[in-house]
Amino acid sequence: MARVLLARNLFLWISLCFLLLVHVHVGTCFYLPGVAPEDFHKGDLLRVKVNKLSSTKTQLPYSYYSLPYCHPDHIVDSAENLGEVLRGDRIENSPYVFKMREPQMCNVVCRLTLDEKTAKEFKEKIDDEYRVNMILDNLPLVVPLRRPDQESSLVYLHGFLVGLKGQYAGNKDEKHFIHNHLTFIVKYHRDPVTEMSRIVGFEVKPFSVKHEYEGEWDNNTRLTTCDPHAKKIVSGSEPPQEVEDKKEIIFSYDVEFQESDVKWASRWDSYLLMADDQIHWFSIINSLMIVLFLSGMVAMIMLRTLYRDISKYNQLETQEEAQEESGWKLVHGDVFRPPSNSDLLCVYVGTGVQFLGMILVTMIFAALGFLSPSNRGGLMTAMLLLWVLMGLCGGYSSVRLYKMFKGIEWKRIALRTAFTFPAIAFAIFFVLNALIWGQRSSGAVPFGTMFALVFLWFGISVPLVFLGGHFGYKKPLAEDPVKTNKIARQIPEQPWYMNSVFSILIGGILPFGAVFIELFFILTSIWLHQFYYIFGFLFIVFLILIVTCAEITIVLCYFQLCSEDYLWWWRSYLTSGSSALYLFLYAAFYFFTKLEITKPISGVLYFGYMLLLSYGFFVVTGTIGFYSCFWFIRLIYSSVKID
């Protein structure tokens, strides 16, 4: 009966979690990619939605209507999931309305007269190279550009720039010009039988044009710079629209429809195949081959050396021979002695297992296409949900290890597992969010979302950690292969190359080398607002990371035991975990060489979030190294005869 109630409570927790993470709004929600395409008849309304203003120079998103752009009579927010909110997405309706397969020319949206404040706001966004993001039928707006090295290849930039800075001919003063005319290109695929159409592309050509008209302005005024009756369209030859106090700006747009052979199922291909894809694939494969070769060499050496050691130890027959033994067998009476700060080790091992479960399941779903870029916010939402659910595994692992150390206060360990990493991460996140809030950015997490995160932590994750800890403490443990002596053996003086700090730092190089090329593309997708989509290769790289962490930790642990140093518990965790230090150093290198961030707050945000990422990487790789070494030591000591 108790188990039935427990299962029901667990089901309720998971159901509440799903309801909290996915806000469903009937009629305006987005489809799961690849499940439900939308068909349009000729003349059907196509409503463009606006998203955030984003910049790679500040990393601070703002809502579209934070600038005095033209807006509809009523601004309506679209339903957003938790991942979209955390990304800073603010999806709202817009005054841009199309009709399927009906071109439009020179539609006037609104007329705006700038004052000193609005002119300053536009200038600041132009200086920081902010881009305007829009959405049509779940497709983001892109600007196609031809690559200078390959005329036949296109690069798609997300959104269009708010404006540009430039100079008039013969004038050295730099001016700000706004993109106030948009030529939208909607690509569609038509079914020849039903005559229904599906949208497969959404592009734009932005122009800055100083519109002119005759007489006084009213709703029926015709522009002389852009006239559909005279078939005069906007080109790049007109004088640009300057941004200054008291300047009049008229916003307008054209709509073109182009039939495409691209089918709806393949419409994201052109968005994802952006730049240097061949170099990307070659670099990843080259890195994987090197790591696999090194791993194979290490494994072969270890197998031969261990086979010789075990054979030698098992052939010792006389008392004199047994007393002259050396190497790792000599410390068999101390190798399973609990380490110092064993409670903290249990906590970090449990947290690492929680991370590993989250990453593996997330990558499987992503590789299957459920978390593709078309499902905005899906990846982050899934990671948060899986982190919460994997608290069951985290509590089980930490308490089970604690029980092996003969601990009896398992509830205290479960409590620390549930709070140590999340509390540190939440504290850093809260400080960074306060900085974003101070900049009035849409990237600041609202109070309601913050409450939802706290509820997921306290209402679901903490109980699951305790539940896993309960199961871990109740399950009986296997006996150690050797008995631990009552008096600890003295560790002899170690050579310089076996110094703990030196070996730990050396151990982190190879795991970092397994992922640093892929890390470049991940950082590019995060900080330069590019799509990341090769989850299959990312999964392979992660498996290679696991193998590399395991083997380098086992090798260094073996050398440590051969030097009669039995303090392997923490060193096995820190050996592979030190790769996080190299990750953070690489993040700093990336910041100074690839990014153009100049504002101090943006720099604090970058290093704050990269510190969190490195901390999580430390926990994951450290746990892999620890369990690999733990398995290795139990295996070798159970393979020799101990008198």
Side-chain angles (χ1 to χ4, degrees):
M1 185 64 182
R3 291 183 178 179
V4 173
L5 290 174
L6 191 61
R8 287 179 179 175
N9 289 335
L10 183 59
F11 176 76
L12 288 174
W13 284 335
I14 296 174
S15 301
L16 283 171
C17 188
F18 272 108
L19 291 175
L20 189 63
L21 290 177
V22 183
H23 303 289
V24 178
H25 191 286
V26 178
T28 59
C29 62
F30 292 118
Y31 305 109
L32 186 66
V35 175
E38 188 168 358
D39 295 311
F40 298 94
H41 293 281
K42 183 177 181 180
D44 284 350
L45 287 179
L46 304 177
R47 301 185 182 277
V48 176
K49 296 184 179 182
V50 293
N51 200 348
K52 61 188 176 184
L53 306 174
S54 58
S55 169
T56 58
K57 294 186 69 173
T58 68
Q59 303 297 333
L60 293 170
Y62 289 90
S63 66
Y64 177 81
Y65 294 112
S66 63
L67 288 179
Y69 277 120
C70 307
H71 55 79
D73 295 334
H74 300 285
I75 298 176
V76 180
D77 293 330
S78 296
E80 296 160 346
N81 57 43
L82 183 57
E84 288 177 306
V85 176
L86 294 177
R87 280 166 27 115
D89 287 346
R90 297 297 181 267
I91 302 172
E92 298 160 311
N93 62 330
S94 78
Y96 299 99
V97 179
F98 313 155
K99 290 187 178 180
M100 188 66 183
R101 291 162 49 191
E102 293 185 4
Q104 302 177 31
M105 183 183 295
C106 201
N107 279 10
V108 175
V109 186
C110 72
R111 172 176 166 268
L112 173 68
T113 301
L114 299 180
D115 55 24
E116 186 177 353
K117 179 182 177 183
T118 54
K120 181 181 178 183
E121 290 174 349
F122 273 118
K123 286 181 178 180
E124 288 176 348
K125 294 298 186 291
I126 293 172
D127 287 334
D128 292 331
E129 298 180 6
Y130 270 87
R131 309 186 75 89
V132 178
N133 296 282
M134 296 184 179
I135 302 168
L136 178 64
D137 191 37
N138 203 27
L139 276 180
L141 181 69
V142 293
V143 178
L145 294 177
R146 294 200 177 275
R147 296 177 60 181
D149 55 337
Q150 300 177 14
E151 289 297 326
S152 60
S153 179
L154 289 176
V155 176
Y156 293 96
L157 302 179
H158 300 173
F160 63 91
L161 290 170
V162 173
L164 297 170
K165 291 190 293 184
Q167 299 169 339
Y168 289 112
N171 193 335
K172 295 183 179 180
D173 294 335
E174 197 170 48
K175 301 291 185 180
H176 295 78
F177 304 103
I178 188 172
H179 285 139
N180 60 320
H181 181 85
L182 306 175
T183 298
F184 293 107
I185 301 171
V186 180
K187 296 184 177 181
Y188 65 93
H189 181 79
R190 183 170 58 179
D191 190 326
V193 178
T194 62
E195 289 296 317
M196 303 282 281
S197 301
R198 294 177 178 176
I199 297 173
V200 296
F202 187 35
E203 301 174 1
V204 68
K205 295 178 182 177
F207 296 95
S208 178
V209 54
K210 185 178 181 181
H211 281 304
E212 296 179 356
Y213 56 91
E214 296 178 354
E216 295 294 328
W217 178 266
D218 58 36
N219 293 333
N220 298 320
T221 299
R222 290 170 56 178
L223 302 176
T224 58
T225 48
C226 177
D227 190 351
H229 300 283
K231 302 297 182 183
K232 183 177 181 181
I233 62 174
V234 172
S235 63
S237 59
E238 288 84 1
Q241 176 62 60
E242 189 177 337
V243 178
E244 287 295 343
D245 185 20
K246 303 297 188 294
K247 288 286 185 180
E248 179 186 69
I249 300 178
I250 298 174
F251 291 91
S252 59
Y253 68 96
D254 303 330
V255 185
E256 299 177 12
F257 288 89
Q258 295 180 2
E259 189 168 1
S260 173
D261 294 330
V262 177
K263 295 185 178 179
W264 188 89
S266 305
R267 66 177 186 165
W268 275 86
D269 292 355
S270 58
Y271 288 79
L272 299 180
L273 299 176
M274 293 217 165
D276 300 328
D277 54 332
Q278 292 182 349
I279 297 175
H280 184 131
W281 289 89
F282 175 77
S283 300
I284 294 176
I285 293 174
N286 184 57
S287 176
L288 295 181
M289 293 301 294
I290 293 174
V291 172
L292 284 173
F293 174 76
L294 291 174
S295 300
M297 292 292 293
V298 168
M300 191 166 61
I301 293 172
M302 287 299 300
L303 288 174
R304 293 186 62 182
T305 306
L306 273 176
Y307 180 77
R308 186 178 65 247
D309 287 349
I310 293 172
S311 299
K312 182 183 71 174
Y313 290 150
N314 286 337
Q315 289 173 0
L316 297 177
E317 295 181 354
T318 65
Q319 185 71 18
E320 291 76 12
E321 289 176 327
Q323 290 176 353
E324 293 176 0
E325 68 184 26
S326 61
W328 53 267
K329 185 182 178 184
L330 195 62
V331 295
H332 66 83
D334 299 277
V335 74
F336 288 103
R337 188 180 303 280
S340 58
N341 296 320
S342 59
D343 291 1
L344 186 62
L345 179 63
C346 296
V347 169
Y348 272 96
V349 168
T351 304
V353 170
Q354 191 172 355
F355 258 114
L356 275 172
M358 177 197 73
I359 293 173
L360 286 173
V361 178
T362 300
M363 286 190 179
I364 291 173
F365 276 104
L368 293 175
F370 291 105
L371 302 176
S372 68
S374 58
N375 185 15
R376 277 184 311 278
L379 180 63
M380 189 172 293
T381 303
M383 291 178 69
L384 284 171
L385 174 63
L386 289 170
W387 164 264
V388 168
L389 298 181
M390 288 298 167
L392 191 70
C393 302
Y396 177 87
S397 303
S398 60
V399 171
R400 188 160 175 78
L401 181 63
Y402 176 72
K403 184 179 180 181
M404 196 188 74
F405 293 148
K406 305 298 186 293
I408 57 174
E409 298 180 0
W410 69 269
K411 294 181 181 178
R412 178 170 56 86
I413 297 300
L415 186 68
R416 292 181 64 180
T417 304
F419 281 92
T420 299
F421 181 88
I424 295 174
F426 191 82
I428 297 175
F429 174 74
F430 186 83
V431 172
L432 297 179
N433 190 67
L435 293 176
I436 299 174
W437 191 279
Q439 296 296 309
R440 299 181 179 179
S441 168
S442 65
V445 177
F447 174 78
T449 305
M450 192 72 74
F451 175 78
L453 293 175
V454 173
F455 173 78
L456 290 176
W457 179 14
F458 285 88
I460 301 176
S461 179
V462 173
L464 286 179
V465 170
F466 269 88
L467 185 62
H470 171 76
F471 289 146
Y473 193 75
K474 291 297 182 182
K475 188 173 181 179
L477 289 172
E479 292 185 3
D480 294 334
V482 292
K483 294 182 179 180
T484 301
N485 296 332
K486 294 183 178 180
I487 301 176
R489 179 186 180 87
Q490 185 175 1
I491 299 174
E493 185 176 353
Q494 301 293 305
W496 67 270
Y497 54 84
M498 288 306 298
N499 180 271
S500 59
V501 175
F502 180 78
S503 62
I504 286 171
L505 292 177
I506 290 296
I509 294 176
L510 192 57
F512 172 75
V515 299
F516 87 96
I517 293 180
E518 195 67 18
L519 181 65
F520 170 81
F521 294 99
I522 293 175
L523 293 181
T524 299
S525 68
I526 295 174
W527 300 107
L528 295 182
H529 304 160
Q530 299 291 329
F531 288 122
Y532 187 87
Y533 61 97
I534 312 181
F535 290 105
F537 254 100
L538 182 62
F539 185 63
I540 295 174
V541 170
F542 184 68
L543 294 179
I544 294 299
L545 174 66
I546 293 176
V547 173
T548 308
C549 288
E551 291 192 344
I552 193 65
T553 307
I554 287 173
V555 169
L556 293 179
C557 182
Y558 173 75
F559 291 153
Q560 178 186 350
L561 294 177
C562 288
S563 298
E564 300 178 17
D565 183 356
Y566 53 84
L567 302 178
W568 63 273
W569 298 93
W570 272 109
R571 191 183 291 193
S572 65
Y573 195 98
L574 297 174
T575 295
S576 54
S578 65
S579 57
L581 173 63
Y582 299 102
L583 188 151
F584 188 78
L585 293 176
Y586 180 79
F589 171 79
Y590 185 88
F591 177 85
F592 292 109
T593 59
K594 299 297 180 182
L595 300 181
E596 299 179 358
I597 294 177
T598 55
K599 291 188 176 182
I601 290 182
S602 301
V604 171
L605 291 177
Y606 175 85
F607 283 103
Y609 284 123
M610 291 311 301
L611 180 63
L612 273 178
L613 180 63
S614 302
Y615 186 26
F617 192 76
F618 163 75
V619 173
V620 171
T621 53
T623 301
I624 295 170
F626 171 81
Y627 272 117
S628 303
C629 198
F630 180 72
W631 168 83
F632 169 74
I633 288 177
R634 290 187 68 91
L635 179 66
I636 63 174
Y637 281 99
S638 61
S639 302
V640 296
K641 299 175 183 177
I642 305 295
D643 296 331

